Amino acid sequence: MLGGITGVAGDWDWETTAGYGRVEADTRGVKGYARAADVQAAVDAGTLNLFGASPGFNADSVSYKTKRDGKSELYFADVKGSAGVFELPNGMAQLALGAEVRHEEFKNKFDNATANGEVLGIGGTSAEGDRDTRAVFAELMAPLTEDLEIQLAGRFDDYNDFGTTVNPKVSAAFRPLDSLLIRGSWGEGFRPPSM
């Protein structure tokens, strides 16, 4: 679900959105697996011969159905605005500002036998976690001359489980001839560790 509102306040164009997303994955009764203890018991009882024919063996006697429940949720809201902030000899400098908050959580639960490594041919680790993130960002675009435009941008993120990060960016566009445009940029990016 996603909803938003846009508007104008003075010289500022603004927008705010909020949303919620959920993914569920429930896997039940996956066949074709067996618990190691059940196979060993069949071998010990003589009904299963691992090296030859087993005429009295019924595969259903060691069959095990795995289960897994997974769920991921995301809540978020943001607000953004942009406006011309001051006049330069070659045009208006434009500023964009924004902020966002996000809450993520997930759960991934396997049945106990699978999670404990008791099932042959499959394994799974149950896990769960959540993360809250707050961020603010800004970008300034300024036409310095008729042929040169620069952009300065930055983003600050605060993760409750990791810490903070600041990521700047500088870019420029230069047009020495009508038929030639030269662009360049430098920036830093960040990807938080998995929960």
Side-chain angles (χ1 to χ4, degrees), residues 33-51:
Y33 296 103
R35 290 189 325 138
D38 295 338
V39 172
Q40 186 63 55
V43 170
D44 294 345
T47 57
L48 175 60
N49 179 357
L50 296 177
F51 304 102

Side-chain angles (χ1 to χ4, degrees), residues 153-174:
R155 181 180 175 100
F156 171 82
D157 291 273
D158 178 30
Y159 300 86
N160 71 316
D161 61 344
F162 170 74
T164 61
T165 179
V166 176
N167 296 286
K169 178 184 173 186
V170 178
S171 63
F174 178 55

